[in-house]
Amino acid sequence: MTRDLGGARAARREENRIIAGRAQVIFLSASPSAHSPGHTASIALIADEAQDIEEEWFDRQFRPMAASTGASTVLFGTPWNGRTLLDHAVSQNRKLDAARLPGTKGMRLHHEVPWQRVAESRPMYGEYVRQERDRLGANHPLFLSQYGLRTVESAGRMFSNAQLAAIAGDFPRLAGPVAGERYVAGLDVGGDGERADATVLTIARLRPDRACEVVQQHAWNGAAYRVVESEVLALARSWRLERLVVDGTGLGGPIAASLQEALGDLVERLHFTGASKSALGYALISAIDTGRLRIFANDGSTEALALRRELAACESRYGSGRELRWGDESGHDDHVVSLALALRAAESVGPARVAVGRRRG
């Protein structure tokens, strides 16, 4: 393909290159599975989304491309957990900028543009960012890093005291469904027999504004799967659940399959992977920060105490590729995982079905 640049020379594209006269731009993948060595950067070596590039791989495969020419290396991206290729470059460049004596000449090495400045010239972008802030919450890790240009805390408690206070509702735990209300649930499947982790069912009601209120939790410790399956099925029918998201990973597979056979399409079988659990964690943080998730009042019950204890003990770590790894190292986070599955059910269920009929006469 050849494109007119409005001058004497024209640019053409050949595979992963754009060529204009004697100048050319070569586009390479930074994936460790890609073949990239053998190139030379004569003017600049540019890495986009540098926070997602493995630092050791970049240093070994790409930095040598500028060694013989002295070409500048330019990294673009947003901060993450303080341990990425980009984060390390930002830290080093800030130190060099700060060490430069006032009044001396030299190019500043670190540059950043906050979203508010971009919005001054691109109002539509500003509106988009504000919508993201409303959707995710101003303190959501993704919003802080991608738009606030702040490094997220690499490890620590997943929920602050303020978030734990925000999720606490003032409504009572319900013994059964209330006429006219809509309910969804999440089921985290624990071990069978002597395993210490529990199987937990979280039931939540949908508010008219699509907020999610947890009104009940049931836990089975060491119960046989056939007992759990039978009781969950009875509860699903009793509460007239519109959506049930089930942990279908490993030992949960048979229960999930059986519930799907009995209840049909209202059951979603979710396989836990790093990506799927990361998404559940981000959804929890967002729902708490935006007031879309609350739990029943602390009535001193085993379920109420267990849920609050697990929420306070949950820890998070932000890994490569913006993956959120979360949970309790002891493995006792079943109530929180079930809560996250119930939230997924609330956010994936469709609008209320309206009966349509024909009037006689």
Side-chain angles (χ1 to χ4, degrees):
M1 182 185 76
T2 302
R3 178 167 297 177
D4 184 4
L5 298 180
R9 296 178 178 176
R12 68 181 188 278
R13 186 176 68 192
E14 294 182 0
E15 297 181 346
N16 65 329
R17 303 168 183 244
I18 295 179
I19 303 170
R22 296 174 60 189
Q24 63 177 323
V25 179
I26 303 173
F27 296 88
L28 301 172
S29 171
S31 170
S33 62
H35 182 74
S36 57
H39 297 280
T40 299
S42 58
I43 299 177
L45 174 64
I46 301 174
D48 194 22
E49 299 294 348
Q51 74 279 358
D52 294 329
I53 301 175
E54 293 184 15
E55 186 168 14
E56 188 275 336
W57 174 255
F58 184 82
D59 289 343
R60 186 172 79 248
Q61 295 292 328
F62 288 91
R63 286 198 188 275
M65 296 179 186
S68 64
T69 62
S72 298
T73 298
V74 183
L75 307 181
F76 289 100
T78 53
W80 184 228
N81 58 9
R83 305 191 306 273
T84 69
L85 166 67
L86 181 69
D87 289 324
H88 289 160
V90 168
S91 177
Q92 179 66 17
N93 286 347
R94 280 176 167 163
K95 290 179 182 178
L96 294 173
D97 286 342
R100 185 174 293 115
L101 295 176
T104 60
K105 295 182 179 181
M107 180 182 296
R108 185 161 54 94
L109 300 177
H110 176 67
H111 302 264
E112 63 182 49
V113 182
W115 71 267
Q116 294 91 338
R117 188 182 304 173
V118 179
E120 292 174 2
S121 58
R122 294 290 185 271
M124 290 184 64
Y125 176 78
E127 182 60 28
Y128 171 79
V129 175
R130 284 185 282 271
Q131 290 176 359
E132 286 294 277
R133 183 178 59 193
D134 293 341
R135 181 179 70 87
L136 296 172
N139 295 316
H140 193 283
L142 293 180
F143 184 84
L144 288 176
S145 63
Q146 290 185 285
Y147 303 107
L149 303 184
R150 289 170 53 185
T151 301
V152 298
E153 187 174 339
S154 60
R157 287 178 57 188
M158 184 171 178
F159 305 110
S160 66
N161 289 337
Q163 289 171 315
L164 295 177
I167 197 177
D170 56 3
F171 51 89
R173 189 159 58 115
L174 298 182
V178 175
E181 292 187 343
R182 305 176 63 199
Y183 298 97
V184 297
L187 179 67
D188 178 47
V189 180
D192 193 4
E194 297 181 356
R195 283 189 58 182
D197 51 337
T199 293
V200 180
L201 177 72
T202 299
I203 300 173
R205 66 183 168 201
L206 295 176
R207 304 300 299 175
D209 60 358
R210 303 294 293 177
C212 177
E213 293 184 343
V214 174
V215 295
Q216 182 59 275
Q217 278 197 325
H218 294 276
W220 295 264
N221 288 279
Y225 282 150
R226 61 180 181 275
V227 174
V228 173
E229 178 187 319
S230 175
E231 294 186 7
V232 169
L233 182 58
L235 287 166
R237 288 169 172 163
S238 171
W239 285 85
R240 304 185 302 275
L241 296 181
E242 297 186 24
R243 190 76 168 166
L244 172 60
V245 178
V246 183
D247 163 23
T249 310
L251 296 173
I255 288 184
S258 181
L259 290 172
Q260 277 184 321
E261 183 177 354
L263 300 173
D265 292 341
L266 73 84
V267 176
E268 176 190 354
R269 178 177 176 178
L270 180 68
H271 292 273
F272 276 126
T273 63
S276 65
K277 190 170 183 183
S278 176
L280 289 176
Y282 278 131
L284 268 180
I285 295 171
S286 177
I288 294 174
D289 284 346
T290 57
R292 294 182 287 110
L293 176 65
R294 298 169 72 205
I295 60 177
F296 55 84
N298 189 352
D299 56 5
S301 64
T302 301
E303 293 80 9
L305 295 176
L307 177 56
R308 285 161 172 78
R309 182 174 61 250
E310 290 183 11
L311 283 167
C314 250
E315 295 186 347
S316 61
R317 181 176 295 276
Y318 299 95
S320 60
R322 300 194 183 276
E323 182 176 278
L324 168 60
R325 303 167 189 169
W326 62 276
D328 186 345
E329 291 185 358
S330 69
H332 299 306
D333 53 10
D334 316 288
H335 290 74
V336 182
V337 173
S338 177
L339 172 67
L341 293 172
L343 176 63
R344 179 181 175 94
E347 294 184 339
S348 63
V349 71
R353 289 179 292 181
V354 179
V356 178
R358 183 178 299 174
R359 181 183 299 177
R360 286 189 175 182

